[in-house]
Amino acid sequence: MNNLSILKKFPTDFIFGTATSSYQIEGNSFGGCGKSIWDEFAKKRLKGVDGQKACNHFNYFKEDIKFIKEAGFKAYRFSFSWPRILPIDHNTINTEGLDFYSRLLDEILKNDLEPFPTLYHWDLPLRFSSLGGWENQDTCKRFADFSYIISEKYSDKFQKIATINEPWCVSWLSHYLGEHAPGLTNLSSAVKTMHNILLAHGMSLQALRSNGNNEIGIVLNNEYPEPFNEDPKNIQAAKLFDNIYNRWFSDAIFKGSYPELALNILEKYLPKNYNSQLKIISHPIDWIGINYYTRSVIKYLNADDGIDYECERGSLKKTDMGWELYPKGLSYFIERIHQEYSDDIPIYVTENGMANNDQISFNEVIEDQDRVEYFQLHLKEILDCLKKGIQVKGYFAWSLLDNYEWAFGYEKRFGLIHVDFETFKRTPKESFNQFSKYL
Ligand code: FCB
């Protein structure tokens, strides 16, 4: 049987937490929340399977925070919903929404947990759609205003805050691959949003700084680029994938430039003044979050638009998402930050976890041994990084609850806690018990 006794080997000041996001758990039909691009996308593309109820965290949040405490975690990563705070326009604050986050933060603090809020985890208010969404730089300004509101209202209740969750997903996955809202498959749109979402980060950072926040980060997702074989064409293809998926965002943040291989192909879609905007994007941050799940196997494929690769899954053990178990990728990216970008920035693994088809047995037990193994193997990689003297400060398991897994609806279960989406009953899984036992 796998277990999480490895948790005992971490330094006492290492922060263990768990993560969620607003649209995936709260339930947008509650508390005067406005519509987001995900409601629209779900209606058009996902047969209406949306986050209107989700885990009903809006009403169950006290119970959920209690679980986090019970597991022995020290921190909770969640996100603010922009359409919950500003449902109708840019100025009219929904007091019910404001009050919800106030109560949530108070509950987190009351349970001696550290809040790790994120300002944008993909639920863009729907009203931006007709204005071009993230393709329009006005959205970046509005996001900075929203950041300022959050900072003003709640800065006394948190220290650390992240601007954007996973800019690659917001841009490439949603505007080139078409798999997430708004579901576009247009290279020009994708590149504009790849730049604008970073600009939104930079402008938000300025807004937060102007209000005195000084522990600001961004959360980047990384996927390990594995060339299909030694063929130089595949190696080059894997480099391009790495440029677009990973380095585009980290180079911009830390170096104020875009990586050459990707830039050669994508520059023509960027705004003329992109270089001067990179100065805003690369203002120093105080910590960096990495989300890591898996690797991709990359093959050369000639394409008209210059994106000359295709991605496959390899032959390693897979999760219920079809994602391969490849823990080495996690330490690879942590070391990359340390060696290539900054050797002293505090690094947090802000998401890591797996989907499993978890079933409740007759005695209410959920034996998610594969998930326990997944955590164990990735935690081992972090320990190795710590031994090398790298500043990894914390780890957040994705996710506290089974929840709305975006385009996969409620079918993919990532939670430490099982959720019955009819009754909202929560049942802790073995992975949850393992954290409680060893934390
Ligand atoms: C990440 C997202 C998170 C969740 C996990 C499985 O890309 O940030 O919301 O969907 O994947």
Side-chain angles (χ1 to χ4, degrees), residues 20-21 24 77 121-122 165-166 168-169 173 180 219 221 245 291-293 321 323 350-355 398-399 403-406 412 414:
T20 63
S21 86
Q24 292 179 279
R77 176 172 179 247
H121 199 129
W122 308 353
N165 179 69
E166 302 191 346
W168 177 86
C169 290
L173 185 65
H180 277 190
V219 170
N221 54 320
Y245 200 119
N291 293 354
Y292 176 78
Y293 290 93
M321 294 293 279
W323 297 350
T350 30
E351 281 181 34
N352 178 238
M354 69 171 277
W398 182 270
S399 179
N403 58 43
Y404 179 73
E405 179 45 38
W406 307 111
K412 303 296 177 196
F414 274 90

Side-chain angles (χ1 to χ4, degrees), residues 114-131:
E114 182 178 357
F116 267 68
T118 299
L119 284 163
Y120 185 73
H121 199 129
W122 308 353
D123 37 5
L124 183 68
L126 185 58
R127 62 177 174 277
F128 287 99
S129 281
S130 56
L131 307 169

Side-chain angles (χ1 to χ4, degrees), residues 394-412:
Y395 175 91
F396 290 79
W398 182 270
S399 179
L400 175 65
L401 304 167
D402 289 343
N403 58 43
Y404 179 73
E405 179 45 38
W406 307 111
F408 295 91
Y410 295 95
E411 273 162 31
K412 303 296 177 196

Side-chain angles (χ1 to χ4, degrees), residues 143-161:
F143 178 63
D145 295 344
F146 168 63
S147 309
Y148 192 84
I149 292 176
I150 294 291
S151 172
E152 238 193 354
K153 300 288 178 196
Y154 303 116
S155 277
D156 56 329
K157 299 186 201 282
F158 65 79
Q159 255 103 51
K160 298 193 187 59
I161 185 158

Side-chain angles (χ1 to χ4, degrees), residues 383-427:
L383 266 189
D384 289 350
C385 292
L386 288 173
K387 280 183 201 138
K388 290 180 186 161
I390 304 177
Q391 300 281 317
V392 194
K393 297 289 190 193
Y395 175 91
F396 290 79
W398 182 270
S399 179
L400 175 65
L401 304 167
D402 289 343
N403 58 43
Y404 179 73
E405 179 45 38
W406 307 111
F408 295 91
Y410 295 95
E411 273 162 31
K412 303 296 177 196
R413 294 181 175 272
F414 274 90
L416 303 173
I417 296 173
H418 180 278
V419 176
D420 178 326
F421 295 107
E422 297 291 317
T423 62
F424 305 119
K425 180 166 190 269
R426 276 90 163 126
T427 311

Side-chain angles (χ1 to χ4, degrees), residues 335-353:
E335 286 184 38
R336 182 190 268 190
I337 296 220
H338 182 76
Q339 281 161 9
E340 295 186 33
Y341 293 116
S342 163
D343 60 7
D344 60 358
I345 190 155
I347 301 170
Y348 290 86
V349 176
T350 30
E351 281 181 34
N352 178 238

